[in-house]
Amino acid sequence: MTGPPLEDRPFDGNHFDYSPWSFWDEADERAKRRQLDVRRHLAEHRGYRIGERCFLSELASVQNEEFHLGHGCYVAAGAYLSGSLHAGRDCTINPYAVVRGHVRLGDAVRIGAHTSVLGFNHTTDDPDTEVFRQPLRSTGITIGDDVWIGSHVVVLDGVTVGDRSVVAAGAVVTRDVPAGAVVGGNPARVLRWRVPALAPRSDDLVAGLTAFAETAHAQARRVLERCWDPDLGLFTDRPGSPPTVRAQCDAVEVADLLLGRAPEQLPARVQVDRLRGWQDPGTGLVGALRPDGTVEPARDGLSDPGAAYHVLSVGYALDLLGSGFAEPVHVVSRTDAAEVVAGLERQPWTTNAWAAGAWVDALGTALHWNRRRGDLGATGATEALFGWLLTRADPRTGAWGRPAPEDGLLQVVNGFYRASRGTFAQFGLPVPHPERVVDTVLEHVRDARFFRPETQNACNVLDVAHPLWLTRGTAYRADEVLGVARRLLADALGHWTDHAGFGFRAPHPTTTGLPATAPGLQGTEMWLAVIWLLADLLGLAEVLRYRPRGVHRPEPGPV
């Protein structure tokens, strides 16, 4: 036993054996002398080399023929070590880890609890001889510098784990891990890149992202100026189009993304007062913008598509400006559980799942804004929403709605994005059937009607990118997901128009002149979010120097 007497801290008599990182700062002198005696004994009688400020728990099993620990390493209780171990400085072998065979660790390697690093294997060449009677073979395992290996990982013989990489908990590593990668799954695959600069550059995505980021940041002021109407004192989506509520909000989002502040055309306080003033105090909704700068009442509550989206766009624009709605969204705070279920049942899930998902998105976001204000609404309303979605998700697709001959899985996938964005994603809850969602999205993205470069639009690509990002933790079909992300990202980077931004639809010689391809604030805001999501799937988002914080923020909504 080390540390204070047992009676002073019950259940913690072996504190440093299980939490050895604090030993040399907190243990008493008797315990430190005991540890130095252990180290001397191992050096004299076994030839072990152990650096300064190392700690070896006497509750570990250390049976190595060769053993070298650099400065500041520790081995915790229950660890089982055998074979030859050569470790650099500041390495950690946590409780119940197994490190056997020929293993070499670089500097600052952390090995989680219950992990097995097995630098040997049985041969199985002779089918007529029992496996345990056949000889062992050892190629050895090499783990580079600054590597974090999570708990319950298995690393098999012959593997090299590159510098600055991360191996996610539960992974089974059967092949080399590239330097700078984050890997997970069984067998382990690259999930993303901890060090984007080390990502493969065969498609030159890093260079493309870098060039795009420099262009977008440098041209952001011009993109906003182009859509500002000084006579009206309002933003329009693009020059010549009428001002809309959404255009004001998209301007706030684009400025936040690329400039890190509010649009310069008006003081932030003026923009906040205007957006708050557009909220109807009776319903809590924001209707359509009239030519004189006032807003119309929402026609049918959340069934008014414009007002429903304004719950998202105005709410997040105000949040980015450091404010919020002046009133709760009253039409939602007055809705009880039975009415929530009735509203969900009325939605056109089988014919227009996107519209149904949009209604859910607005409802979930209104509940979110209200809860943030302390208005919890009718008892059980939020629970009714999540309960209905959980029990009605199709276990075959992970989504709601049905495919149709005229547009395949488009409605299913787009409806899933809208419904999950406003609920599971915004509230930070796991989606039901995540692996089926991946299956469905990967099947949908093969539909050339929507994903050829000339047919892409921001909505359809966003509605693929977000579900793949939301389910990325499963590592399911990770190689295919990353392949889709690379392809769509390479396409998206080519959609930018200098000094104007993105159109909603991708530009192409065959679509020249279509209004949807004209650059505007809506397309710019959406494609910026798409590019970030796809880049983050590939571990390259840091190159962009922005992160969505509004409607398309990757994290749960602000609380």
Side-chain angles (χ1 to χ4, degrees), residues 28-68:
D28 58 31
E29 290 305 314
R30 181 180 63 85
K32 291 178 180 177
R33 285 195 301 271
R34 171 68 179 177
Q35 185 63 207
L36 292 172
D37 288 343
V38 168
R39 189 166 69 192
R40 248 189 320 269
H41 175 83
L42 293 174
E44 292 173 1
H45 294 277
R46 298 196 195 177
Y48 290 1
R49 291 185 293 154
I50 302 173
E52 296 300 312
R53 292 183 70 84
C54 288
F55 176 88
L56 275 73
S57 170
E58 294 182 61
L59 301 180
S61 176
V62 181
Q63 303 176 3
N64 300 77
E65 291 83 37
E66 296 180 31
F67 190 78
H68 176 203

Side-chain angles (χ1 to χ4, degrees), residues 222 314 383 439 537:
R222 178 68 189 96
V314 177
E383 292 78 6
D439 288 336
L537 275 170

Side-chain angles (χ1 to χ4, degrees), residues 445-484:
V445 83
R446 291 196 294 268
D447 194 328
R449 292 176 293 177
F450 309 111
F451 294 100
R452 286 196 307 269
E454 68 272 22
T455 63
Q456 294 173 14
N457 67 46
C459 179
N460 292 346
V461 180
L462 175 64
D463 295 357
V464 161
H466 187 269
L468 292 179
W469 187 91
L470 193 62
T471 56
R472 69 200 185 286
T474 65
Y476 178 65
R477 298 179 69 177
D479 290 344
E480 295 168 83
V481 169
L482 295 179
V484 166

Side-chain angles (χ1 to χ4, degrees), residues 384-457:
L385 171 61
F386 281 95
W388 192 96
L389 291 172
L390 283 167
T391 56
R392 298 301 183 90
D394 186 339
R396 296 167 297 179
T397 64
W400 306 273
R402 298 176 185 172
E406 61 271 18
D407 55 11
L409 287 163
L410 181 69
Q411 290 289 330
V412 174
V413 171
N414 290 13
F416 174 85
Y417 163 67
R418 289 300 303 269
S420 64
R421 193 221 71 86
T423 55
F424 297 99
Q426 191 163 231
F427 282 76
L429 299 173
V431 297
H433 316 299
E435 292 187 353
R436 300 293 77 75
V437 171
V438 175
D439 288 336
T440 301
V441 172
L442 290 179
E443 180 180 352
H444 172 53
V445 83
R446 291 196 294 268
D447 194 328
R449 292 176 293 177
F450 309 111
F451 294 100
R452 286 196 307 269
E454 68 272 22
T455 63
Q456 294 173 14
N457 67 46

Side-chain angles (χ1 to χ4, degrees), residues 260-283:
R261 55 182 178 272
E264 299 171 348
Q265 282 69 22
L266 283 176
R269 186 71 251 169
V270 174
Q271 297 179 61
V272 167
D273 291 344
R274 172 181 283 167
L275 291 171
R276 284 168 61 91
W278 284 342
Q279 188 185 24
D280 185 318
T283 64

Side-chain angles (χ1 to χ4, degrees), residues 153-157 159-161 167 171-177 183 185 187-188:
V153 169
V154 177
V155 183
L156 297 183
D157 188 38
V159 163
T160 295
V161 179
V167 181
V172 178
V173 184
T174 61
R175 57 188 177 185
D176 291 352
V177 174
V183 303

